[in-house]
mmCIF file of all heavy atoms in Angstrom:
data_model
loop_
_atom_site.group_PDB
_atom_site.id
_atom_site.type_symbol
_atom_site.label_atom_id
_atom_site.label_comp_id
_atom_site.label_asym_id
_atom_site.label_seq_id
_atom_site.Cartn_x
_atom_site.Cartn_y
_atom_site.Cartn_z
ATOM 1 N N LEU Y 11 -34.431 0.809 -62.849
ATOM 2 C CA LEU Y 11 -34.550 0.644 -64.292
ATOM 3 C C LEU Y 11 -35.464 -0.522 -64.623
ATOM 4 O O LEU Y 11 -35.522 -1.508 -63.890
ATOM 5 C CB LEU Y 11 -33.168 0.402 -64.920
ATOM 6 C CG LEU Y 11 -32.102 1.486 -64.716
ATOM 7 C CD1 LEU Y 11 -30.790 1.051 -65.326
ATOM 8 C CD2 LEU Y 11 -32.551 2.816 -65.296
ATOM 9 N N TYR Y 12 -36.160 -0.398 -65.734
ATOM 10 C CA TYR Y 12 -36.946 -1.510 -66.241
ATOM 11 C C TYR Y 12 -36.017 -2.556 -66.852
ATOM 12 O O TYR Y 12 -34.858 -2.277 -67.168
ATOM 13 C CB TYR Y 12 -37.951 -1.026 -67.288
ATOM 14 C CG TYR Y 12 -39.075 -0.198 -66.708
ATOM 15 C CD1 TYR Y 12 -39.025 1.196 -66.754
ATOM 16 C CD2 TYR Y 12 -40.177 -0.807 -66.114
ATOM 17 C CE1 TYR Y 12 -40.053 1.968 -66.220
ATOM 18 C CE2 TYR Y 12 -41.210 -0.044 -65.577
ATOM 19 C CZ TYR Y 12 -41.143 1.339 -65.637
ATOM 20 O OH TYR Y 12 -42.149 2.077 -65.101
ATOM 21 N N ALA Y 13 -36.532 -3.755 -67.013
ATOM 22 C CA ALA Y 13 -35.709 -4.850 -67.531
ATOM 23 C C ALA Y 13 -35.148 -4.510 -68.907
ATOM 24 O O ALA Y 13 -33.990 -4.807 -69.210
ATOM 25 C CB ALA Y 13 -36.532 -6.135 -67.591
ATOM 26 N N LYS Y 14 -35.954 -3.870 -69.750
ATOM 27 C CA LYS Y 14 -35.485 -3.492 -71.086
ATOM 28 C C LYS Y 14 -34.341 -2.495 -70.990
ATOM 29 O O LYS Y 14 -33.372 -2.551 -71.755
ATOM 30 C CB LYS Y 14 -36.646 -2.908 -71.895
ATOM 31 C CG LYS Y 14 -36.280 -2.533 -73.318
ATOM 32 C CD LYS Y 14 -37.488 -1.995 -74.068
ATOM 33 C CE LYS Y 14 -37.116 -1.608 -75.492
ATOM 34 N NZ LYS Y 14 -38.272 -1.066 -76.235
ATOM 35 N N GLU Y 15 -34.446 -1.551 -70.042
ATOM 36 C CA GLU Y 15 -33.394 -0.558 -69.875
ATOM 37 C C GLU Y 15 -32.124 -1.199 -69.325
ATOM 38 O O GLU Y 15 -31.011 -0.815 -69.699
ATOM 39 C CB GLU Y 15 -33.885 0.549 -68.941
ATOM 40 C CG GLU Y 15 -35.049 1.353 -69.516
ATOM 41 C CD GLU Y 15 -35.645 2.296 -68.493
ATOM 42 O OE1 GLU Y 15 -35.477 2.016 -67.278
ATOM 43 O OE2 GLU Y 15 -36.265 3.287 -68.880
ATOM 44 N N LYS Y 16 -32.277 -2.178 -68.425
ATOM 45 C CA LYS Y 16 -31.114 -2.872 -67.887
ATOM 46 C C LYS Y 16 -30.373 -3.613 -69.001
ATOM 47 O O LYS Y 16 -29.144 -3.564 -69.089
ATOM 48 C CB LYS Y 16 -31.536 -3.853 -66.799
ATOM 49 C CG LYS Y 16 -32.089 -3.195 -65.544
ATOM 50 C CD LYS Y 16 -32.528 -4.264 -64.551
ATOM 51 C CE LYS Y 16 -33.184 -3.642 -63.327
ATOM 52 N NZ LYS Y 16 -33.652 -4.656 -62.360
ATOM 53 N N LYS Y 17 -31.129 -4.320 -69.845
ATOM 54 C CA LYS Y 17 -30.505 -5.069 -70.930
ATOM 55 C C LYS Y 17 -29.816 -4.139 -71.917
ATOM 56 O O LYS Y 17 -28.809 -4.504 -72.529
ATOM 57 C CB LYS Y 17 -31.561 -5.903 -71.648
ATOM 58 C CG LYS Y 17 -32.128 -7.039 -70.801
ATOM 59 C CD LYS Y 17 -33.183 -7.801 -71.565
ATOM 60 C CE LYS Y 17 -33.768 -8.926 -70.718
ATOM 61 N NZ LYS Y 17 -34.832 -9.679 -71.439
ATOM 62 N N ALA Y 18 -30.356 -2.926 -72.092
ATOM 63 C CA ALA Y 18 -29.757 -1.981 -73.031
ATOM 64 C C ALA Y 18 -28.499 -1.340 -72.452
ATOM 65 O O ALA Y 18 -27.551 -1.040 -73.179
ATOM 66 C CB ALA Y 18 -30.775 -0.898 -73.404
ATOM 67 N N PHE Y 19 -28.481 -1.131 -71.136
ATOM 68 C CA PHE Y 19 -27.379 -0.400 -70.520
ATOM 69 C C PHE Y 19 -26.231 -1.312 -70.107
ATOM 70 O O PHE Y 19 -25.077 -0.912 -70.152
ATOM 71 C CB PHE Y 19 -27.893 0.359 -69.294
ATOM 72 C CG PHE Y 19 -26.856 1.220 -68.628
ATOM 73 C CD1 PHE Y 19 -26.463 2.427 -69.190
ATOM 74 C CD2 PHE Y 19 -26.263 0.824 -67.445
ATOM 75 C CE1 PHE Y 19 -25.502 3.206 -68.587
ATOM 76 C CE2 PHE Y 19 -25.292 1.600 -66.832
ATOM 77 C CZ PHE Y 19 -24.921 2.802 -67.407
ATOM 78 N N LEU Y 20 -26.544 -2.548 -69.715
ATOM 79 C CA LEU Y 20 -25.526 -3.446 -69.168
ATOM 80 C C LEU Y 20 -24.366 -3.722 -70.136
ATOM 81 O O LEU Y 20 -23.203 -3.731 -69.712
ATOM 82 C CB LEU Y 20 -26.183 -4.760 -68.722
ATOM 83 C CG LEU Y 20 -25.301 -5.730 -67.930
ATOM 84 C CD1 LEU Y 20 -24.760 -5.033 -66.690
ATOM 85 C CD2 LEU Y 20 -26.088 -6.973 -67.541
ATOM 86 N N PRO Y 21 -24.613 -3.955 -71.437
ATOM 87 C CA PRO Y 21 -23.468 -4.181 -72.343
ATOM 88 C C PRO Y 21 -22.498 -3.014 -72.394
ATOM 89 O O PRO Y 21 -21.282 -3.215 -72.503
ATOM 90 C CB PRO Y 21 -24.134 -4.410 -73.704
ATOM 91 C CG PRO Y 21 -25.512 -4.872 -73.375
ATOM 92 C CD PRO Y 21 -25.892 -4.150 -72.133
ATOM 93 N N PHE Y 22 -23.007 -1.786 -72.296
ATOM 94 C CA PHE Y 22 -22.122 -0.627 -72.322
ATOM 95 C C PHE Y 22 -21.281 -0.563 -71.048
ATOM 96 O O PHE Y 22 -20.116 -0.172 -71.083
ATOM 97 C CB PHE Y 22 -22.935 0.656 -72.483
ATOM 98 C CG PHE Y 22 -23.780 0.673 -73.724
ATOM 99 C CD1 PHE Y 22 -25.160 0.713 -73.649
ATOM 100 C CD2 PHE Y 22 -23.197 0.632 -74.979
ATOM 101 C CE1 PHE Y 22 -25.934 0.721 -74.793
ATOM 102 C CE2 PHE Y 22 -23.960 0.641 -76.130
ATOM 103 C CZ PHE Y 22 -25.341 0.687 -76.031
ATOM 104 N N LEU Y 23 -21.877 -0.939 -69.917
ATOM 105 C CA LEU Y 23 -21.132 -0.968 -68.669
ATOM 106 C C LEU Y 23 -20.002 -1.989 -68.736
ATOM 107 O O LEU Y 23 -18.888 -1.743 -68.260
ATOM 108 C CB LEU Y 23 -22.077 -1.291 -67.503
ATOM 109 C CG LEU Y 23 -21.453 -1.340 -66.108
ATOM 110 C CD1 LEU Y 23 -20.997 0.053 -65.698
ATOM 111 C CD2 LEU Y 23 -22.448 -1.889 -65.091
ATOM 112 N N VAL Y 24 -20.278 -3.135 -69.346
ATOM 113 C CA VAL Y 24 -19.255 -4.180 -69.469
ATOM 114 C C VAL Y 24 -18.160 -3.754 -70.449
ATOM 115 O O VAL Y 24 -16.970 -4.031 -70.241
ATOM 116 C CB VAL Y 24 -19.904 -5.501 -69.916
ATOM 117 C CG1 VAL Y 24 -18.845 -6.559 -70.176
ATOM 118 C CG2 VAL Y 24 -20.893 -5.991 -68.857
ATOM 119 N N ALA Y 25 -18.547 -3.059 -71.516
ATOM 120 C CA ALA Y 25 -17.568 -2.691 -72.547
ATOM 121 C C ALA Y 25 -16.659 -1.547 -72.112
ATOM 122 O O ALA Y 25 -15.555 -1.410 -72.653
ATOM 123 C CB ALA Y 25 -18.300 -2.287 -73.829
ATOM 124 N N THR Y 26 -17.084 -0.743 -71.145
ATOM 125 C CA THR Y 26 -16.321 0.443 -70.760
ATOM 126 C C THR Y 26 -14.893 0.125 -70.321
ATOM 127 O O THR Y 26 -13.938 0.715 -70.857
ATOM 128 C CB THR Y 26 -17.064 1.213 -69.660
ATOM 129 O OG1 THR Y 26 -18.314 1.696 -70.178
ATOM 130 C CG2 THR Y 26 -16.239 2.393 -69.175
ATOM 131 N N PRO Y 27 -14.659 -0.792 -69.356
ATOM 132 C CA PRO Y 27 -13.260 -1.049 -68.969
ATOM 133 C C PRO Y 27 -12.421 -1.641 -70.082
ATOM 134 O O PRO Y 27 -11.215 -1.360 -70.179
ATOM 135 C CB PRO Y 27 -13.394 -2.024 -67.784
ATOM 136 C CG PRO Y 27 -14.746 -2.625 -67.920
ATOM 137 C CD PRO Y 27 -15.596 -1.575 -68.545
ATOM 138 N N PHE Y 28 -13.029 -2.449 -70.962
ATOM 139 C CA PHE Y 28 -12.261 -3.048 -72.054
ATOM 140 C C PHE Y 28 -11.836 -1.985 -73.069
ATOM 141 O O PHE Y 28 -10.707 -2.015 -73.570
ATOM 142 C CB PHE Y 28 -13.082 -4.136 -72.733
ATOM 143 C CG PHE Y 28 -13.289 -5.353 -71.880
ATOM 144 C CD1 PHE Y 28 -14.490 -5.558 -71.220
ATOM 145 C CD2 PHE Y 28 -12.278 -6.291 -71.716
ATOM 146 C CE1 PHE Y 28 -14.685 -6.665 -70.420
ATOM 147 C CE2 PHE Y 28 -12.466 -7.412 -70.922
ATOM 148 C CZ PHE Y 28 -13.675 -7.602 -70.271
ATOM 149 N N LEU Y 29 -12.734 -1.054 -73.373
ATOM 150 C CA LEU Y 29 -12.375 0.017 -74.301
ATOM 151 C C LEU Y 29 -11.317 0.936 -73.695
ATOM 152 O O LEU Y 29 -10.386 1.370 -74.389
ATOM 153 C CB LEU Y 29 -13.626 0.817 -74.679
ATOM 154 C CG LEU Y 29 -14.610 0.115 -75.609
ATOM 155 C CD1 LEU Y 29 -15.883 0.940 -75.771
ATOM 156 C CD2 LEU Y 29 -13.982 -0.143 -76.968
ATOM 157 N N PHE Y 30 -11.461 1.246 -72.403
ATOM 158 C CA PHE Y 30 -10.453 2.087 -71.745
ATOM 159 C C PHE Y 30 -9.098 1.390 -71.761
ATOM 160 O O PHE Y 30 -8.066 2.024 -72.038
ATOM 161 C CB PHE Y 30 -10.878 2.391 -70.310
ATOM 162 C CG PHE Y 30 -9.927 3.319 -69.589
ATOM 163 C CD1 PHE Y 30 -10.103 4.688 -69.659
ATOM 164 C CD2 PHE Y 30 -8.862 2.823 -68.853
ATOM 165 C CE1 PHE Y 30 -9.221 5.552 -69.000
ATOM 166 C CE2 PHE Y 30 -7.984 3.657 -68.198
ATOM 167 C CZ PHE Y 30 -8.167 5.027 -68.269
ATOM 168 N N LEU Y 31 -9.084 0.082 -71.483
ATOM 169 C CA LEU Y 31 -7.834 -0.670 -71.491
ATOM 170 C C LEU Y 31 -7.226 -0.711 -72.887
ATOM 171 O O LEU Y 31 -5.995 -0.625 -73.044
ATOM 172 C CB LEU Y 31 -8.081 -2.090 -70.983
ATOM 173 C CG LEU Y 31 -6.856 -3.014 -70.901
ATOM 174 C CD1 LEU Y 31 -5.822 -2.440 -69.947
ATOM 175 C CD2 LEU Y 31 -7.273 -4.406 -70.457
ATOM 176 N N ALA Y 32 -8.067 -0.820 -73.905
ATOM 177 C CA ALA Y 32 -7.559 -0.826 -75.280
ATOM 178 C C ALA Y 32 -6.899 0.506 -75.615
ATOM 179 O O ALA Y 32 -5.815 0.542 -76.224
ATOM 180 C CB ALA Y 32 -8.699 -1.123 -76.254
ATOM 181 N N GLY Y 33 -7.537 1.604 -75.234
ATOM 182 C CA GLY Y 33 -6.942 2.911 -75.493
ATOM 183 C C GLY Y 33 -5.664 3.127 -74.716
ATOM 184 O O GLY Y 33 -4.669 3.649 -75.262
ATOM 185 N N ALA Y 34 -5.644 2.712 -73.436
ATOM 186 C CA ALA Y 34 -4.438 2.862 -72.625
ATOM 187 C C ALA Y 34 -3.300 2.002 -73.174
ATOM 188 O O ALA Y 34 -2.132 2.424 -73.178
ATOM 189 C CB ALA Y 34 -4.740 2.495 -71.175
ATOM 190 N N SER Y 35 -3.621 0.801 -73.647
ATOM 191 C CA SER Y 35 -2.596 -0.083 -74.210
ATOM 192 C C SER Y 35 -2.015 0.506 -75.485
ATOM 193 O O SER Y 35 -0.794 0.432 -75.726
ATOM 194 C CB SER Y 35 -3.189 -1.465 -74.492
ATOM 195 O OG SER Y 35 -3.668 -2.066 -73.301
ATOM 196 N N LEU Y 36 -2.872 1.079 -76.323
ATOM 197 C CA LEU Y 36 -2.374 1.731 -77.535
ATOM 198 C C LEU Y 36 -1.430 2.868 -77.185
ATOM 199 O O LEU Y 36 -0.379 3.040 -77.826
ATOM 200 C CB LEU Y 36 -3.554 2.246 -78.367
ATOM 201 C CG LEU Y 36 -3.190 3.028 -79.633
ATOM 202 C CD1 LEU Y 36 -2.481 2.128 -80.633
ATOM 203 C CD2 LEU Y 36 -4.453 3.631 -80.265
ATOM 204 N N ALA Y 37 -1.788 3.639 -76.162
ATOM 205 C CA ALA Y 37 -0.932 4.749 -75.750
ATOM 206 C C ALA Y 37 0.416 4.251 -75.235
ATOM 207 O O ALA Y 37 1.463 4.816 -75.572
ATOM 208 C CB ALA Y 37 -1.637 5.574 -74.674
ATOM 209 N N TYR Y 38 0.393 3.185 -74.427
ATOM 210 C CA TYR Y 38 1.624 2.714 -73.787
ATOM 211 C C TYR Y 38 2.546 1.994 -74.765
ATOM 212 O O TYR Y 38 3.763 2.239 -74.770
ATOM 213 C CB TYR Y 38 1.275 1.791 -72.622
ATOM 214 C CG TYR Y 38 2.466 1.233 -71.889
ATOM 215 C CD1 TYR Y 38 3.074 1.973 -70.877
ATOM 216 C CD2 TYR Y 38 2.996 -0.009 -72.207
ATOM 217 C CE1 TYR Y 38 4.193 1.481 -70.206
ATOM 218 C CE2 TYR Y 38 4.108 -0.513 -71.537
ATOM 219 C CZ TYR Y 38 4.700 0.235 -70.537
ATOM 220 O OH TYR Y 38 5.791 -0.250 -69.879
ATOM 221 N N TYR Y 39 1.992 1.115 -75.567
ATOM 222 C CA TYR Y 39 2.828 0.245 -76.399
ATOM 223 C C TYR Y 39 3.159 0.850 -77.771
ATOM 224 O O TYR Y 39 4.137 0.431 -78.399
ATOM 225 C CB TYR Y 39 2.157 -1.104 -76.602
ATOM 226 C CG TYR Y 39 2.120 -1.938 -75.340
ATOM 227 C CD1 TYR Y 39 0.930 -2.085 -74.626
ATOM 228 C CD2 TYR Y 39 3.261 -2.565 -74.863
ATOM 229 C CE1 TYR Y 39 0.886 -2.841 -73.465
ATOM 230 C CE2 TYR Y 39 3.234 -3.326 -73.702
ATOM 231 C CZ TYR Y 39 2.037 -3.462 -73.003
ATOM 232 O OH TYR Y 39 1.997 -4.203 -71.839
ATOM 233 N N VAL Y 40 2.364 1.798 -78.247
ATOM 234 C CA VAL Y 40 2.577 2.316 -79.598
ATOM 235 C C VAL Y 40 2.873 3.813 -79.595
ATOM 236 O O VAL Y 40 3.883 4.259 -80.144
ATOM 237 C CB VAL Y 40 1.346 2.024 -80.496
ATOM 238 C CG1 VAL Y 40 1.565 2.608 -81.888
ATOM 239 C CG2 VAL Y 40 1.075 0.529 -80.579
ATOM 240 N N VAL Y 41 1.981 4.573 -78.959
ATOM 241 C CA VAL Y 41 2.062 6.031 -79.088
ATOM 242 C C VAL Y 41 3.229 6.600 -78.292
ATOM 243 O O VAL Y 41 4.025 7.399 -78.823
ATOM 244 C CB VAL Y 41 0.736 6.679 -78.639
ATOM 245 C CG1 VAL Y 41 0.833 8.197 -78.765
ATOM 246 C CG2 VAL Y 41 -0.414 6.153 -79.476
ATOM 247 N N MET Y 42 3.363 6.224 -77.031
ATOM 248 C CA MET Y 42 4.418 6.814 -76.208
ATOM 249 C C MET Y 42 5.824 6.510 -76.729
ATOM 250 O O MET Y 42 6.657 7.432 -76.804
ATOM 251 C CB MET Y 42 4.262 6.369 -74.748
ATOM 252 C CG MET Y 42 3.121 7.080 -74.034
ATOM 253 S SD MET Y 42 3.163 6.909 -72.227
ATOM 254 C CE MET Y 42 2.773 5.167 -72.046
ATOM 255 N N PRO Y 43 6.147 5.264 -77.091
ATOM 256 C CA PRO Y 43 7.497 5.052 -77.654
ATOM 257 C C PRO Y 43 7.761 5.890 -78.897
ATOM 258 O O PRO Y 43 8.852 6.443 -79.071
ATOM 259 C CB PRO Y 43 7.502 3.551 -77.973
ATOM 260 C CG PRO Y 43 6.501 2.959 -77.041
ATOM 261 C CD PRO Y 43 5.436 3.993 -76.914
ATOM 262 N N THR Y 44 6.734 5.996 -79.774
ATOM 263 C CA THR Y 44 6.896 6.802 -80.982
ATOM 264 C C THR Y 44 7.088 8.273 -80.651
ATOM 265 O O THR Y 44 7.971 8.946 -81.210
ATOM 266 C CB THR Y 44 5.677 6.624 -81.896
ATOM 267 O OG1 THR Y 44 5.490 5.235 -82.185
ATOM 268 C CG2 THR Y 44 5.853 7.388 -83.194
ATOM 269 N N ALA Y 45 6.278 8.783 -79.728
ATOM 270 C CA ALA Y 45 6.364 10.197 -79.367
ATOM 271 C C ALA Y 45 7.686 10.515 -78.671
ATOM 272 O O ALA Y 45 8.309 11.545 -78.950
ATOM 273 C CB ALA Y 45 5.186 10.569 -78.465
ATOM 274 N N PHE Y 46 8.129 9.635 -77.779
ATOM 275 C CA PHE Y 46 9.356 9.906 -77.043
ATOM 276 C C PHE Y 46 10.575 9.888 -77.972
ATOM 277 O O PHE Y 46 11.503 10.689 -77.803
ATOM 278 C CB PHE Y 46 9.532 8.892 -75.913
ATOM 279 C CG PHE Y 46 8.472 9.009 -74.846
ATOM 280 C CD1 PHE Y 46 8.210 7.953 -73.985
ATOM 281 C CD2 PHE Y 46 7.735 10.173 -74.702
ATOM 282 C CE1 PHE Y 46 7.235 8.059 -73.002
ATOM 283 C CE2 PHE Y 46 6.751 10.290 -73.728
ATOM 284 C CZ PHE Y 46 6.499 9.220 -72.880
ATOM 285 N N GLU Y 47 10.585 8.978 -78.927
ATOM 286 C CA GLU Y 47 11.686 8.970 -79.894
ATOM 287 C C GLU Y 47 11.695 10.268 -80.708
ATOM 288 O O GLU Y 47 12.760 10.814 -81.021
ATOM 289 C CB GLU Y 47 11.556 7.762 -80.822
ATOM 290 C CG GLU Y 47 11.863 6.432 -80.149
ATOM 291 C CD GLU Y 47 11.760 5.274 -81.120
ATOM 292 O OE1 GLU Y 47 11.517 5.533 -82.325
ATOM 293 O OE2 GLU Y 47 11.924 4.114 -80.692
ATOM 294 N N TRP Y 48 10.510 10.763 -81.029
ATOM 295 C CA TRP Y 48 10.427 12.017 -81.783
ATOM 296 C C TRP Y 48 10.922 13.183 -80.940
ATOM 297 O O TRP Y 48 11.649 14.053 -81.428
ATOM 298 C CB TRP Y 48 8.984 12.246 -82.220
ATOM 299 C CG TRP Y 48 8.810 13.407 -83.147
ATOM 300 C CD1 TRP Y 48 9.098 13.449 -84.475
ATOM 301 C CD2 TRP Y 48 8.303 14.707 -82.806
ATOM 302 N NE1 TRP Y 48 8.792 14.688 -84.994
ATOM 303 C CE2 TRP Y 48 8.306 15.473 -83.996
ATOM 304 C CE3 TRP Y 48 7.840 15.277 -81.630
ATOM 305 C CZ2 TRP Y 48 7.869 16.789 -84.018
ATOM 306 C CZ3 TRP Y 48 7.411 16.598 -81.652
ATOM 307 C CH2 TRP Y 48 7.420 17.339 -82.828
ATOM 308 N N PHE Y 49 10.531 13.207 -79.654
ATOM 309 C CA PHE Y 49 10.978 14.278 -78.763
ATOM 310 C C PHE Y 49 12.502 14.248 -78.579
ATOM 311 O O PHE Y 49 13.162 15.297 -78.601
ATOM 312 C CB PHE Y 49 10.300 14.146 -77.393
ATOM 313 C CG PHE Y 49 8.821 14.455 -77.414
ATOM 314 C CD1 PHE Y 49 7.957 13.774 -76.581
ATOM 315 C CD2 PHE Y 49 8.314 15.420 -78.257
ATOM 316 C CE1 PHE Y 49 6.592 14.039 -76.592
ATOM 317 C CE2 PHE Y 49 6.954 15.706 -78.286
ATOM 318 C CZ PHE Y 49 6.093 15.014 -77.451
ATOM 319 N N LEU Y 50 13.055 13.061 -78.380
ATOM 320 C CA LEU Y 50 14.500 12.940 -78.160
ATOM 321 C C LEU Y 50 15.296 13.250 -79.418
ATOM 322 O O LEU Y 50 16.508 13.465 -79.340
ATOM 323 C CB LEU Y 50 14.839 11.530 -77.669
ATOM 324 C CG LEU Y 50 14.322 11.172 -76.278
ATOM 325 C CD1 LEU Y 50 14.648 9.729 -75.927
ATOM 326 C CD2 LEU Y 50 14.888 12.117 -75.222
ATOM 327 N N GLY Y 51 14.624 13.272 -80.565
ATOM 328 C CA GLY Y 51 15.311 13.626 -81.802
ATOM 329 C C GLY Y 51 15.773 15.069 -81.833
ATOM 330 O O GLY Y 51 16.577 15.445 -82.697
ATOM 331 N N PHE Y 52 15.289 15.889 -80.890
ATOM 332 C CA PHE Y 52 15.702 17.290 -80.845
ATOM 333 C C PHE Y 52 16.995 17.479 -80.058
ATOM 334 O O PHE Y 52 17.485 18.609 -79.937
ATOM 335 C CB PHE Y 52 14.599 18.149 -80.217
ATOM 336 C CG PHE Y 52 13.392 18.294 -81.097
ATOM 337 C CD1 PHE Y 52 12.290 17.471 -80.925
ATOM 338 C CD2 PHE Y 52 13.360 19.244 -82.106
ATOM 339 C CE1 PHE Y 52 11.174 17.600 -81.729
ATOM 340 C CE2 PHE Y 52 12.248 19.382 -82.924
ATOM 341 C CZ PHE Y 52 11.149 18.546 -82.744
ATOM 342 N N GLU Y 53 17.529 16.382 -79.490
ATOM 343 C CA GLU Y 53 18.821 16.502 -78.823
ATOM 344 C C GLU Y 53 19.910 16.804 -79.856
ATOM 345 O O GLU Y 53 19.833 16.396 -81.012
ATOM 346 C CB GLU Y 53 19.157 15.200 -78.079
ATOM 347 C CG GLU Y 53 18.378 14.989 -76.806
ATOM 348 C CD GLU Y 53 18.883 13.781 -76.033
ATOM 349 O OE1 GLU Y 53 19.196 12.758 -76.682
ATOM 350 O OE2 GLU Y 53 18.975 13.857 -74.803
ATOM 351 N N GLY Y 54 20.914 17.491 -79.425
ATOM 352 C CA GLY Y 54 22.016 17.831 -80.326
ATOM 353 C C GLY Y 54 22.826 18.963 -79.744
ATOM 354 O O GLY Y 54 23.122 18.981 -78.542
ATOM 355 N N SER Y 55 23.161 19.910 -80.577
ATOM 356 C CA SER Y 55 23.937 21.059 -80.110
ATOM 357 C C SER Y 55 23.494 22.291 -80.887
ATOM 358 O O SER Y 55 23.031 22.203 -82.030
ATOM 359 C CB SER Y 55 25.442 20.817 -80.302
ATOM 360 O OG SER Y 55 25.724 20.611 -81.680
#
């Protein structure tokens, strides 16, 4: 890659794990507890 291409691509490479971690954290701490409580709401008789 040319220097200009490296400078353009490198920030995206650095941001990728942080964005993935942000999405995974949202799923673990917010979405899954909410979804599981909704699923368990179907318990009964």
